[in-house]
Amino acid sequence: MTPAYIIQTLVSFLAILMLVGIAWWAKIARHAPDLDEASARALIADEFPDHAVGAVWVAADHRSALARSGDEALIVYRAGDGYVARSTPWVRLAEGRPGKGGVALKLADFTAPRARFTLAEGATWPPASLGDAP
Amino acid sequence: MKIDLITLATPFFILAVILEIVLARFARTTTHYEAKDTMTSLGMGLGSQVFGLLTAGLVIAATLWVWQHRIFTIPMTAWWAWVAIFFLEDLVYYWFHRLSHERRFWWAAHVNHHSSQHYNLSTALRQTWTGGVNGSWLLWLPLAFVGFPPPMIAIEKSVSLIYQFWIHTEAIRRLPTPLEYVLNTPSHHRVHHARNPRYLDSNYAGILIVWDRMFGTFVAEDEAEPPRYGIVKNLGDFNIIRAAFHEWVGIAQDIARDPRHTLGYLFGPPGWSPDGSRQTSDQIKAAWRARQPSLASGSDNPIAPRAASRR
Ligand SMILES: [Zn+2]
Ligand SMILES: [Zn+2]
């Protein structure tokens, strides 16, 4: 680690900050529209093409959605300008405790540790429209 | 030597990223950048240079040692030697890259390059931090054993890396047909970064796409099915530590849970599991084929004949 190398690394880091700033300024992220029933269903069908899906529930902030397929919960949620999909056993939804702002559900997955679902006032968890846990 | 060429190229990388962003800003291209994603990709690039130093000494020493036991002495000044190493290094790269996708122990390092849901010039700089530890650099040692001088190998590796920078863009649709036939291009490499089932595990080329055509891994970009970028299970956030190490963590968790299947978890294909509860690329592709009514009976789709022969 020579001084020249350290300076070079610092300059590279500043260059990164500049590029990220330019990317932020340009506002050229993908248009990721809020989820509604139809778009959430389409997204879930894309991500879980071999799953039969019944009702689809969309979180109050339209950034995440949930569907039930047998004893599996199919989850999609927004990350940046894209969406991330995971499934988890349906019974584990009950481990998510509704708190201020909604439910943070642990997924037992290092690559996607938790999904958040905002709840409308008075809404139940797991969403009643998807049926009770078996 | 390697660091030198990459360092020299870095100002051009930066200018090219700015150009791509500005062109997109003024609606000249359909490129997308998301600031957090850009931060992770560029941070991975810088981190890979730093982490690379940890094993650089070992790689250089091993290459020199092998070269001291070489069969021939190939002069760096001969034009034919540069022609030869261009093709041979690119062939080594193809197999390195294919191994990096088909076996989890090597995928754990290479997945970093694929975990962005974006495809732009910043994605090119999203490089691994752990490429030195899985021994994939051993694949280049035969070049030294044949007699190519180590600096020549290092230069050619850098040339390949620098070539592959500019193809990470959506701003260029297609090159003239003869070039698309021979070279790895933005179109071919978009397919390589796609997570659509039909595009998985294809187009491993570095500079020449002819290797994929020869070894049966070529898939053309279909205008009717735009690539969706990223990995089969996209990352849940932009945490750079997660991006750098998640597959290694996954391997460790799997082995801790079920040590009897250590070899399968290490050297099986990504997505392998003893009980079939996860899907490998082959299984994802097979399921996709089964959902295509036109493909099941055979059609003009290039993937269909393989589907038929597997049944
Ligand atoms: Zn790759
Ligand atoms: Zn790439």
Side-chain angles (χ1 to χ4, degrees):
Chain A
M1 287 263 182
T2 61
Y5 182 78
I6 292 170
I7 289 169
Q8 185 192 313
T9 304
L10 280 176
V11 170
S12 301
F13 186 71
L14 293 177
I16 289 175
L17 292 183
M18 176 189 72
L19 291 177
V20 171
I22 295 173
W24 175 81
W25 158 81
K27 293 192 172 41
I28 48 171
R30 274 190 203 105
H31 177 59
D34 284 349
L35 292 175
D36 56 19
E37 222 271 348
S39 59
R41 182 177 293 283
L43 187 57
I44 288 170
D46 246 9
E47 293 287 343
F48 303 98
D50 293 317
H51 285 66
V53 173
V56 172
W57 173 87
V58 179
D61 65 356
H62 303 278
R63 292 172 67 93
S64 54
L66 187 63
R68 185 167 177 172
S69 179
D71 49 13
E72 265 187 289
L74 311 181
I75 295 165
V76 289
Y77 69 93
R78 180 105 152 249
D81 58 353
Y83 281 91
V84 173
R86 289 293 185 279
S87 67
T88 194
W90 181 265
V91 289
R92 298 201 47 182
L93 291 191
E95 293 169 16
R97 295 270 166 258
K100 213 172 65 179
V103 175
L105 183 70
K106 286 201 176 129
L107 294 176
D109 181 341
F110 182 76
T111 62
R114 63 184 59 79
R116 288 188 179 78
F117 304 93
T118 54
L119 299 180
E121 280 243 327
T124 55
W125 181 264
S129 59
L130 298 181
D132 292 324
Chain B
M1 193 59 92
K2 177 179 183 203
I3 292 168
D4 282 348
L5 267 190
I6 303 298
T7 306
L8 282 177
T10 298
F12 296 98
F13 292 164
I14 293 170
L15 286 175
V17 170
I18 294 174
L19 181 67
E20 193 185 37
I21 294 175
V22 169
L23 283 175
R25 171 70 179 78
F26 297 105
R28 292 294 185 272
T29 71
T30 52
T31 307
H32 296 288
Y33 274 77
E34 206 272 348
K36 289 188 293 263
D37 172 83
T38 308
M39 183 77 208
T40 305
S41 290
L42 298 178
M44 290 298 298
L46 180 58
S48 92
Q49 291 288 306
V50 175
F51 272 78
L53 287 182
L54 297 178
T55 46
L58 174 68
V59 177
I60 291 169
T63 310
L64 278 173
W65 184 83
V66 169
W67 183 69
Q68 278 156 6
H69 298 81
R70 64 193 178 274
I71 313 174
F72 306 107
T73 294
I74 299 174
M76 256 181 98
T77 47
W79 64 268
W80 56 264
W82 286 100
V83 174
I85 199 166
F86 170 77
F87 285 101
L88 290 173
E89 197 283 331
D90 205 47
L91 177 62
V92 169
Y93 183 88
Y94 170 87
W95 284 105
F96 149 76
H97 196 186
R98 187 163 171 178
L99 178 72
S100 294
H101 278 262
E102 294 186 348
R103 300 290 145 189
R104 197 179 179 195
F105 185 66
W106 292 278
W107 171 243
H110 183 64
V111 62
N112 305 167
H113 179 62
H114 286 278
S115 58
S116 171
Q117 294 201 41
H118 282 270
Y119 188 81
N120 54 44
L121 290 174
S122 80
T123 316
L125 303 176
R126 193 180 180 105
Q127 294 286 327
T128 180
W129 292 6
T130 55
V133 300
N134 63 15
S136 55
W137 49 270
L138 291 165
L139 292 171
W140 278 266
L141 292 186
L143 295 177
F145 186 58
V146 170
F148 289 103
M152 204 172 173
I153 301 170
I155 289 170
E156 194 52 43
K157 282 174 90 166
S158 299
V159 167
S160 179
L161 192 90
I162 292 167
Y163 174 85
Q164 291 180 58
F165 169 74
W166 75 275
I167 61 179
H168 290 84
T169 184
E170 293 191 286
I172 298 170
R173 298 312 304 169
R174 290 279 157 92
L175 299 185
T177 307
L179 294 178
E180 290 285 342
Y181 196 80
V182 176
L183 292 175
N184 191 12
T185 62
S187 173
H188 300 329
H189 203 60
R190 283 195 287 272
V191 166
H192 178 67
H193 275 257
R195 61 195 285 270
N196 317 40
R198 67 178 302 165
Y199 292 147
L200 288 176
D201 283 3
S202 58
N203 300 2
Y204 297 118
I207 299 176
L208 297 171
I209 197 70
V210 291
W211 308 119
D212 286 285
R213 296 185 190 276
M214 274 170 66
F215 299 124
T217 47
F218 176 73
V219 175
E221 185 180 29
D222 183 344
E223 293 291 340
E225 187 170 337
R228 297 191 303 273
Y229 304 109
I231 49 182
V232 170
K233 286 187 166 188
N234 277 318
L235 296 182
D237 59 25
F238 299 92
N239 183 321
I240 195 166
I241 300 300
R242 198 184 316 288
F245 300 109
H246 67 89
E247 193 67 21
W248 295 110
V249 171
I251 291 174
Q253 287 175 331
D254 285 340
I255 293 174
R257 200 182 318 109
D258 195 355
R260 285 173 309 154
H261 294 289
T262 296
L263 286 178
Y265 283 130
L266 274 176
F267 301 114
W272 178 86
S273 57
D275 60 358
S277 58
R278 304 177 201 166
Q279 283 186 306
T280 64
S281 293
D282 280 350
Q283 289 163 336
I284 293 168
K285 281 197 272 195
W288 171 78
R289 271 185 226 111
R291 290 195 299 272
Q292 315 298 311
S294 59
L295 293 186
S297 56
S299 75
D300 57 355
N301 188 295
I303 302 173
R306 275 171 71 190
S309 67
R310 278 193 196 178
R311 271 187 209 119

